[in-house]
Amino acid sequence: MEASMVVSTVAQEKCDDRKSKTWKNSKGEYVKQLFVCSREGFRPEKYYNMENRKREPKSETRCGCLARFVVRFVAYTGRWHVALFVESHNHDCLDPRLVGFLPTHRKMAEADASQMNNMKDASISTRHIYAMLANQAGGYENVNYTLRDMYNEIARRRRHVLGDARAALRYLKNQKAEDTSLYYEHIVDAKGVLRALFWCDGRSQLDYEVFGDVLAFDATYKKNKYLCPVVVFSGVNHHNQTVVFGSALVTDESKEVYVWLLQQLLAAMKGKAPVSVITDGAPSMRFAIETVFPNAHHRLCAWHLIRNATSNVGNPKFTSMFKKCMLGDYEISVFEQKWFGMVEEFGVAEKNWIIDMYDKRHIWATAHIRGKFFVGFRTTSRCEDIRRLKLTMFPYLVFRYLKQH
C-alpha cells in the first residue's frame, strides 16, 4: 500500500494528523517522515504564562495521544513504505462527516476558487457565493471549508499581486528605456506588499498639458484577476474624445492612498493642477481632492447620484424629479423652491440621504455650479468605458508580459 493512501484513509476515518518530524539524506532529499495525531503531546507551559497577553488562550485540544504513522523511502524500489503505524487513540475521534472541517482538510478546491472569483467579478457578495457553493454541494455539511476560509482565499490571491507587481515594475522599467518621459511610482506596506502603483506615459503627459483642466477619475471595483481596484484618470480632447492621463492599481481605497495617487499625478504633470474634478463621490476621493487640489471645483457624478436616488428612495417619480432638480439650469432660488417642494411631496425630509444631498448641493446641482468649467462632464461614464476596454492597453501588456516571464 502506498503511504499517501494510508494517510488519506486514516485522516478521513479517524482524526486530524500533522507532520511532526522529517529526515533527509546527505543529498538533502527526504527519506523519512513522521505523522502524529493532532492531539499528540501537550501545549508547552510557556504559552500559559505569557506576559502582556491580549486575549485568553485557546481551549486545550492536545491530550498526549500516541497514534503515529511513519513512512520511509526505499531507494531500490523508488517508493515510500510504511515503517510504523500505531492506530489507537486515547480520545474519541471525529465523526467522518465532519472531517472536512479539520484545519488540514479545510481548503478550497481550485474549481471552487475559480468559480468564486467569477462570481466576485459579477459583484456577488462572499456570503452569497458561499451559500451558492453549499447549495451545489448538497448542503453546508458537504463543503470542506468555511466562510472565513473563503475570505482567506481572497486575501491570499490578493497577496499574489506582490510577485506580479515586481514583474510589472520590471516591465515599466523596460518601457522607460523606450519612452524616457514615462513616469511610474509605487508604495508598499510594512510587509513589503504592494499598496499602490501609478503610471502614465509621455503621450498622457502631453495630453494633460493641453486638456488637463478637467479631470475625471473613477475606480473599478475588483474587476481584474487580482481583485484590486484600478483607478483611471481621464479627460477629453478638442474633438470630445476620451484621453487617458494616468492609471493606478491599488489594494485599498484609503484616504492615504488616494492622497498619494493625486500627489503622483501632480508630480508627473509638473505641478499642473486641474481646474475641475468629477468623481463618484467616495469620501476618500473627496478628502484627497481637498488636500491635493484645494482650489479645484469638485463635481459629483450624475449617474451615481441617480442610482443612489433610486436605491435610497425607491420611487421612480422621485428619481425623475431629482434628476430635473440636479440637471435643470435654474437660478438658486428656483432650485430651492423645487427641491423643498419635491421633498415635501414625497415625504422624505427625514431621510439621511436627502439631508446629506442637500448639504452637498453645491457640488452636484447645476444651479450651484453654473459658471464653473466642466467641459460638458456630468458623469464618470468615460472612465467606465475605459474599464470595459481593459483599462487601457497597459494592463493587457503587463498581463501578457507576466505570462511570458
Side-chain angles (χ1 to χ4, degrees), residues 206-402:
L206 291 175
D207 285 337
Y208 185 88
E209 184 178 353
V210 180
F211 308 114
D213 289 336
V214 178
L215 173 70
F217 77 97
D218 188 32
T220 69
Y221 289 91
K222 306 172 182 62
K223 298 295 183 181
N224 52 70
K225 75 175 196 175
Y226 303 110
L227 304 179
C228 295
V230 176
V231 181
V232 178
F233 300 93
S234 65
V236 294
N237 62 17
H238 55 303
H239 295 296
N240 201 33
Q241 297 170 328
T242 301
V243 289
V244 178
F245 300 138
S247 304
L249 178 70
V250 300
T251 57
D252 69 79
E253 296 184 271
S254 63
K255 293 179 179 179
E256 178 186 356
V257 167
Y258 273 123
V259 168
W260 181 86
L261 287 181
L262 293 188
Q263 288 173 341
Q264 298 312 307
L265 179 69
L266 195 62
M269 305 308 175
K270 301 176 179 60
K272 177 182 177 180
V275 175
S276 304
V277 183
I278 182 168
T279 74
D280 63 6
S284 52
M285 289 185 179
R286 184 177 180 182
F287 174 84
I289 292 169
E290 293 174 350
T291 302
V292 184
F293 303 142
N295 298 319
H297 305 305
H298 184 198
R299 180 173 188 169
L300 300 182
C301 170
W303 182 85
H304 284 89
L305 291 177
I306 292 171
R307 185 182 66 174
N308 290 341
T310 301
S311 61
N312 282 277
V313 179
N315 187 321
K317 292 183 178 179
F318 172 86
T319 301
S320 178
M321 290 188 66
F322 174 80
K323 182 177 180 180
K324 292 178 179 178
C325 282
M326 175 174 57
L327 302 179
D329 191 13
Y330 308 127
E331 295 292 336
I332 292 179
S333 58
V334 176
F335 166 80
E336 297 284 323
Q337 180 183 354
K338 289 183 175 293
W339 173 265
F340 287 113
M342 175 187 69
V343 170
E344 183 178 356
E345 178 179 347
F346 291 94
V348 292
E350 300 301 319
K351 280 187 171 291
N352 291 333
W353 184 79
I354 294 293
I355 296 172
D356 184 53
M357 283 298 97
Y358 184 73
D359 290 341
K360 296 178 179 177
R361 61 192 182 281
H362 61 284
I363 58 174
W364 60 263
T366 301
H368 285 272
I369 59 178
R370 293 168 69 190
K372 297 175 182 177
F373 183 62
F374 283 96
V375 74
F377 263 104
R378 288 180 175 176
T379 72
T380 58
S381 60
R382 293 176 184 266
C383 297
E384 300 288 334
D385 292 339
I386 295 171
R387 178 175 70 188
R388 297 187 189 99
L389 293 173
K390 300 296 184 184
L391 305 161
T392 77
M393 288 297 292
F394 175 77
Y396 164 74
L397 294 172
V398 170
F399 297 153
R400 186 178 67 180
Y401 178 85
L402 295 176

